[in-house]
Amino acid sequence: MSEPHGPDPVDLVDPFGRTVRDLRISVTDRCNFRCTYCMPAEGMTWMPREELLTFEEIQRVVRVFVERFGVDGIRLTGGEPTVRAHLPVLVGKLATLRLPGGGRPDLALTTNGATFRLLAHELRAAGLDRVNISIDSLQRDRFALMTRRDELPRVLDGIEAAQEAGFDPVKVNVVLERGVNDDEVVDFARWGRERGVEVRFIEFMPLDATGDWRVAKVVGQDEIVAAIDAVFPLEPVPARGAAPADRWRYRDGRGTVGVIPSVTKPFCGDCDRVRLTADGQLRTCLFETREFDLRAVVRSGGTDDDLAAEITRAVGTKWAGHSIGQVHFLRPNRSMSQIGG
Ligand code: SAM
């Protein structure tokens, strides 16, 4: 007798022929940092607790993405995902999901690392595969100014804890802002080579809560790569595929470095991502203003078919690309911390 099984999996293809493979889930809009390029110092209004998807609801939605649509990359983010209580329990639930072929989707986390020492082993044991840790300055005073928290030592310790727990590679995200930390490009490259972590510079995007973004504050990919190459010669790593970072390897074999050039060289043509906000709204782009309410489907007793239909409807509206820098560009109504970076 054969096992009962659900509908055959289908690819989730948008109108421009891109297949969705990657789901980024914000598990909370709260954060223990107040990075200047992301949040105001105070005055954020948090989502009421009852509006957040529960772990069971998140698992249900993700199960539909994984089983029905073969989505094989899951990344937890926020806000700061580690401030959501019992995060390893959620990771454990997601680690039970299986792709149509029987494989496990890749489970990743983006965190500011401040409490990662406390969680690293538990998250690893629960099934987390990969971690990216954000750090914007290697200078303690500047770090405190940029994040409004004097936490550089704990973040550095969190990075070490990630390596000790067996995460490999540990990737480190650096948002560069002109006149703020752009003089640290080479310092970060040197540090990444010494520590055995892959540093990835992110171009500053117009997703700050305060609306202070200006194109003049963006440090572009070409400038970043030229600065590093002058000190530590680089060669490109071919074929990025759908990954957002362009990568280079050091010619002396001491690792790799990446740049996420969202502003100067948008990679929308290869984008395979969709995003689920902490309150259960599906977005097909960071810069999208339309949302599709998966929480309403779940909480009104919708079936997996209903969820799959709403997901398909959302992906059917995915646009060709964002238009930062063009006259018709509209900032999204939520900031990065509210969408999930
Ligand atoms: N709190 C976690 C962290 O710090 O990694 C996860 C959420 S955070 C919103 C995800 C990433 O988005 C971080 O690397 C952060 O630096 C980046 N980010 C936030 N605002 C940004 C902006 N306006 N432009 C570019 N990157 C931004």
Side-chain angles (χ1 to χ4, degrees):
M1 214 169 62
S2 67
E3 292 271 313
H5 60 82
D8 287 338
V10 291
D11 280 346
L12 200 48
V13 183
D14 74 31
F16 298 90
R18 299 162 297 189
T19 301
V20 174
R21 297 238 165 269
D22 189 66
L23 172 64
R24 310 215 159 187
I25 304 159
S26 171
V27 297
T28 178
D29 58 330
R30 294 174 193 245
C31 190
N32 45 359
F33 284 13
R34 292 289 181 279
C35 300
T36 49
Y37 54 79
C38 187
M39 279 180 160
E42 49 196 30
M44 287 295 287
T45 310
W46 308 121
M47 294 172 188
R49 202 177 165 72
E50 63 277 9
E51 289 190 8
L52 300 188
L53 293 185
T54 64
F55 286 174
E56 289 70 26
E57 289 171 335
I58 294 175
Q59 186 193 28
R60 164 118 191 263
V61 171
V62 178
R63 182 170 55 71
V64 171
F65 273 99
V66 171
E67 291 179 358
R68 297 274 182 113
F69 299 117
V71 166
D72 56 7
I74 308 293
R75 176 172 294 276
L76 301 179
T77 179
E80 171 48 42
T82 59
V83 305
R84 177 107 185 221
H86 313 298
L87 186 67
V89 173
L90 175 62
V91 169
K93 284 181 182 298
L94 299 179
T96 65
L97 299 176
R98 292 292 173 271
L99 290 156
R104 219 166 64 72
D106 181 64
L107 288 180
L109 175 76
T110 302
T111 172
N112 64 30
T115 60
F116 205 69
R117 164 73 60 193
L118 305 174
L119 285 167
H121 281 280
E122 220 185 323
L123 286 169
R124 185 85 185 146
L128 188 69
D129 297 303
R130 295 185 301 117
V131 64
N132 290 10
I133 298 183
S134 307
I135 174 172
D136 299 319
S137 177
L138 295 168
Q139 301 172 18
R140 188 163 176 172
D141 291 354
R142 183 180 283 173
F143 183 95
L145 279 176
M146 288 188 78
T147 61
R148 301 191 178 101
R149 299 290 184 268
D150 183 18
E151 294 280 18
L152 179 62
R154 283 216 297 163
V155 173
L156 291 173
D157 185 52
I159 293 169
E160 256 180 61
Q163 291 179 308
E164 286 163 22
F167 292 103
D168 184 26
V170 173
K171 293 184 185 167
V172 168
N173 293 342
V174 182
V175 176
L176 285 178
E177 208 181 324
R178 188 172 305 286
V180 177
N181 62 346
D182 52 332
D183 56 345
E184 287 190 66
V185 170
V186 173
D187 293 346
F188 265 113
R190 182 179 297 108
W191 173 84
R193 287 160 53 86
E194 287 166 0
R195 298 293 166 103
V197 300
E198 179 173 315
V199 172
R200 294 147 25 114
F201 296 98
I202 306 179
E203 291 181 355
F204 181 29
M205 293 182 276
L207 285 167
D208 51 317
T210 47
D212 290 334
W213 183 90
R214 300 284 174 277
V215 81
K217 294 187 177 181
V218 178
V219 185
Q221 172 168 297
D222 292 347
E223 184 179 336
I224 297 167
V225 173
I228 300 172
D229 185 57
V231 182
F232 304 114
L234 294 170
E235 60 190 5
V237 176
R240 172 173 71 199
D246 286 326
R247 298 170 71 226
W248 285 261
R249 68 172 71 87
Y250 295 107
R251 285 182 189 268
D252 64 5
R254 294 279 300 273
T256 51
V257 63
V259 181
I260 302 182
S262 327
V263 178
T264 65
K265 299 181 201 290
F267 38 88
C268 306
D270 293 319
C271 177
D272 66 350
R273 283 171 289 288
V274 292
R275 293 167 192 272
L276 186 65
T277 62
D279 56 351
Q281 309 300 307
L282 188 64
R283 287 181 166 235
T284 56
C285 173
L286 259 180
F287 297 94
E288 180 53 273
T289 48
R290 284 166 299 185
E291 296 183 334
F292 290 78
D293 192 351
L294 300 189
R295 186 187 62 193
V297 178
V298 170
R299 293 196 180 166
S300 63
T303 62
D304 286 359
D305 283 346
D306 295 331
L307 268 175
E310 192 63 1
I311 292 166
T312 308
R313 203 162 75 83
V315 170
T317 68
K318 183 160 167 158
W319 53 24
H322 69 66
S323 45
I324 300 175
Q326 295 174 32
V327 278
H328 58 278
F329 175 72
L330 278 181
R331 289 176 60 99
N333 48 355
R334 303 208 211 196
S335 64
M336 188 74 140
S337 67
Q338 296 165 319
I339 301 167

